[in-house]
Amino acid sequence: MLAVSAILVKVIGLLYKIPLTALIGEVGRGYFSAAYNLFTPVYAVSMAGLPIAVSGMVSRNMALGRFKQVKKTFRVALSMFAVTGIGGTALLLLLAYPYSFWLINSPETFKCIIAIGPSVFFCCIMSAYRAYYEGLANMVPTAVSQVIEAVAKMVLGLGFAYGVMKYAMNEYAASGTVFGTAAETSQQAQSLLYPWTASAAILGVSIGTVSGWLYMWIYKKVQGGIFTRTELINSPLAQKGRDTAREMIAFSMPVMTGSIILNITSFLDNVAVQNRLGSAVMRDTAVIKEMYGAALAASGTLDKDISVYLYGVYGAVMDFRSLVPTVTMTLGISAIPVISAAWAVNNRKAVQRTVNSVIRTVMLLALPTGFAMAVLSEPLLSLIYGGTRTANMVKIAAPMLTVYGFATPVMAVSAPVTHMLQAVGRTDVPVKSLMMGATAKIVADYILVGNPQINIYGAPVGSILNGVIVVFYELACLVAETGAMPDFKSVFLKPFFCACISTLTARLTFSFTADLPSVIKLSLSLIAAALVYILLLVFTKGISGEDLRMIPKGEKIAKRLEKFGLLG
């Protein structure tokens, strides 16, 4: 359920960010991304492991029949999330000025950060409801609220950005000013307009989060109590609110530490990328303009906006880079209550089965999708951005997307492994792995991005290095703690073989249909690759009955394949 909603959310996100990038330009997208780089760590630190704690406590108490404590956990969580939401919003607003003016030397980003401030509070409140229902193994509220939130953000964000742009350009046409500031050329007018349109888009996003929270609140009211009177009477008494809060904090403390380390290092990494990119441009502008001269000229980017332009292109690439990891992350979230309950009653077989199922499903999704994205990066980006005024960025973005595509399996399995470690109580492991990975990433970014010959192309290298360190260390610790050794042949080897053949099919199909329109070529390539991949999985027994039973109507498909002995 979460995977389906995650796919819908990512599709809606692309439908939002693609026209948004075309509307506000790469420079505007750079301001947009810079604001999110501060919002994301502040929001994550504001929650700091509480959702994992709530989900884990609810699932554990459900398994032990402590239904009164389940209700108490939700009430305490809602209060704690409200407090942290208010604190997070205040922190974001306090950091807005020094971050914009001093750390990244981009004063115009200040407007965008102010616009996104209210999101912290509403996202925190919404997370309390989501964690509660996830602990009950009910993924419907989370899934539906995510889709509602994404649609509202898209509609409001694009609507606000378009309205501000139309108003400002009408003002420029009438008086030669943009919000009261004179602009001698249309390029200067666009430069003045970028931060305003980016802020308007983010304001729409902030208001959109309210819709997700409203749905969760209404769902809880309509559903009412989930326990019968008999269950509550026979249930042990709940702890006092203070004791529940202490347990929640203690449960979340290691996750909180890891979250703080992750987000502080992620924040420092983003600051380093932006600063080093600016340094590279200042150190040797001629080299940068030689590399990207055609794109910069076609987009009308002023010299002072070059670093923001390149960071905006990188932000557009990140939309695709996060496609698969966002979906596979839901597998780890959904595994938390299953593994927590199994671990609480010492059911090692259930833990083994869940670990294998989650990692195998990640590989089945990530390998073919990532590889196809890598070999078809340029036609994919051309199809999406080719008809817009941002078409010039495709040549810059494609090599970065190719690198991220091949690294997708590593990045996709990272969050699920982290969540499974947290479910068995090894919340200390992600803290160590994140410190090691983040340190390597920041060092790589500092060296590579600051080199004018490499500049923004160094950013993916640091991200992948971080992912490799985190995944290999955490996976080794998960196996050591649970004894759940993934079956190498079924989990890794078979999906890898099938993905390689299907990727080759995609590339050959694209080459053989060279005379057809781009959208038809790309569609035929992806359809051919998908068919080959599915057939290979069936004939190599690369998919199990458990995998099929997780999808709608999967039981019937599994029974038919079992008759022919085609399930692994």
Side-chain angles (χ1 to χ4, degrees):
M1 190 71 187
L2 287 179
V4 171
S5 73
I7 292 171
L8 287 174
V9 168
K10 292 307 295 183
V11 170
I12 294 168
L14 285 176
L15 293 176
Y16 167 46
K17 290 182 179 178
I18 290 168
L20 178 68
T21 304
L23 186 65
I24 68 177
E26 296 92 338
V27 175
R29 183 60 194 273
Y31 291 127
F32 188 95
S33 299
Y36 259 93
N37 288 339
L38 180 62
F39 165 79
T40 301
V42 169
Y43 166 56
V45 169
S46 297
M47 294 194 302
L50 285 175
I52 302 293
V54 173
S55 178
M57 289 172 65
V58 168
S59 62
R60 187 173 68 249
N61 285 308
M62 284 291 292
L64 298 174
R66 302 179 62 195
F67 304 125
K68 290 179 181 177
Q69 183 59 40
V70 171
K71 295 181 67 176
K72 174 72 75 174
T73 299
F74 172 72
R75 289 196 296 269
V76 172
L78 196 58
S79 299
M80 293 182 67
F81 274 79
V83 172
T84 59
I86 293 170
T89 299
L91 178 62
L92 183 71
L93 298 178
L94 286 172
L95 292 175
Y97 187 91
Y99 170 75
S100 304
F101 284 81
W102 302 336
L103 287 179
I104 65 172
N105 194 28
S106 178
E108 300 296 349
T109 302
F110 179 77
K111 301 182 183 70
C112 298
I113 298 173
I114 297 301
I116 205 173
S119 288
V120 178
F121 174 76
F122 288 104
C123 286
C124 284
I125 293 293
M126 190 161 39
S127 293
Y129 287 90
R130 288 176 175 173
Y132 170 68
Y133 284 111
E134 287 165 11
L136 296 173
N138 179 5
M139 306 301 168
V140 174
T142 297
V144 175
S145 67
Q146 287 174 342
V147 174
I148 291 174
E149 182 185 0
V151 171
K153 287 179 178 180
M154 177 181 68
V155 173
L156 295 174
L158 290 175
F160 286 2
Y162 177 77
V164 168
M165 173 169 281
K166 187 173 182 180
Y167 175 86
M169 293 312 293
N170 287 339
E171 178 188 338
Y172 173 70
S175 62
T177 62
V178 175
F179 293 109
T181 303
E184 296 181 2
T185 64
S186 60
Q187 286 84 2
Q188 289 182 1
Q190 289 286 347
S191 181
L192 291 170
L193 179 59
Y194 289 140
W196 290 103
T197 52
S199 300
I202 287 183
L203 182 61
V205 169
S206 292
I207 298 175
T209 60
V210 179
S211 62
W213 165 74
L214 277 174
Y215 166 79
M216 297 298 297
W217 182 79
I218 293 171
Y219 184 92
K220 184 73 168 61
K221 288 291 182 182
V222 171
Q223 187 196 46
I226 63 171
F227 304 114
T228 66
R229 181 179 179 84
T230 302
E231 286 176 331
L232 290 174
I233 291 175
N234 295 330
S235 171
L237 292 175
Q239 297 174 325
K240 293 181 179 179
R242 286 177 297 180
D243 294 332
T244 299
R246 290 193 190 100
E247 182 183 355
M248 197 175 295
I249 292 172
F251 193 104
S252 65
M253 190 60 69
V255 182
M256 183 185 304
T257 304
S259 178
I260 291 173
I261 292 172
L262 170 64
N263 285 281
I264 288 178
T265 52
S266 177
F267 172 74
L268 293 175
D269 170 64
N270 285 316
V271 170
V273 169
Q274 292 174 82
N275 263 320
R276 295 299 291 162
L277 187 57
S279 298
V281 173
M282 290 181 62
R283 187 188 309 171
D284 203 334
T285 306
V287 169
I288 303 292
K289 294 181 79 170
E290 182 180 349
M291 292 178 68
Y292 312 118
L296 295 171
S299 62
T301 302
L302 302 179
D303 285 359
K304 72 181 186 67
D305 293 328
I306 289 177
S307 63
V308 181
Y309 171 90
L310 293 176
Y311 195 72
V313 174
Y314 180 62
V317 172
M318 294 295 285
D319 293 339
F320 294 91
R321 177 258 189 209
S322 61
L323 276 174
V324 180
T326 300
V327 175
T328 57
M329 179 177 64
T330 64
L331 295 170
I333 294 172
S334 62
I336 290 174
V338 180
I339 294 181
S340 293
W343 196 253
V345 296
N346 198 31
N347 188 346
R348 295 298 182 106
K349 288 185 178 180
V351 174
Q352 167 80 38
R353 186 168 59 250
T354 304
V355 169
N356 264 285
S357 181
V358 168
I359 298 178
R360 182 172 58 249
T361 306
V362 170
M363 292 297 108
L364 288 170
L365 291 171
L367 283 164
T369 309
F371 288 4
M373 191 186 303
V375 301
L376 297 174
S377 60
E378 188 165 337
L380 177 63
L381 290 168
S382 295
L383 177 65
I384 293 171
Y385 292 108
T388 70
R389 69 188 185 95
T390 56
N392 50 81
M393 77 174 189
V394 170
K395 291 289 185 183
I396 304 174
M400 289 189 280
L401 185 57
T402 296
V403 173
Y404 274 133
F406 284 121
T408 292
V410 173
M411 295 183 292
V413 81
S414 179
V417 172
T418 297
H419 286 310
M420 289 188 288
L421 276 167
Q422 292 165 345
V424 298
R426 288 305 307 271
T427 50
D428 59 307
V429 174
V431 175
K432 300 171 185 175
S433 67
L434 291 172
M435 289 181 67
M436 294 186 292
T439 301
K441 187 176 189 295
I442 292 173
V443 171
D445 286 342
Y446 186 88
I447 295 171
L448 298 176
V449 179
N451 185 333
Q453 302 287 345
I454 301 174
N455 54 82
I456 196 62
Y457 288 130
V461 178
S463 296
I464 294 168
L465 180 61
N466 170 66
V468 169
I469 293 172
V470 169
V471 167
F472 278 88
Y473 180 74
E474 290 191 358
L475 192 56
C477 292
L478 180 65
V479 172
E481 179 69 21
T482 65
M485 172 67 75
D487 181 83
F488 182 80
K489 185 178 179 181
S490 66
V491 172
F492 300 109
L493 188 58
K494 287 183 179 180
F496 178 78
F497 169 75
C498 297
C500 288
I501 301 300
S502 69
T503 303
L504 180 61
T505 301
R507 188 67 243 186
L508 291 175
T509 303
F510 190 84
S511 300
F512 291 152
T513 56
D515 296 331
L516 297 176
S518 295
V519 64
I520 297 178
K521 286 193 299 182
L522 193 59
S523 300
L524 289 175
S525 300
L526 294 176
I527 291 171
L531 290 174
V532 169
Y533 184 65
I534 293 171
L535 289 173
L536 284 172
L537 283 178
V538 170
F539 287 111
T540 60
K541 299 182 181 181
I543 191 167
S544 70
E546 289 181 358
D547 300 328
L548 288 173
R549 292 183 182 98
M550 290 192 297
I551 64 174
K553 307 295 183 182
E555 186 71 35
K556 293 182 178 180
I557 300 173
K559 286 181 179 179
R560 290 181 180 179
L561 292 177
E562 281 174 349
K563 291 181 180 179
F564 297 97
L566 295 174
L567 287 181

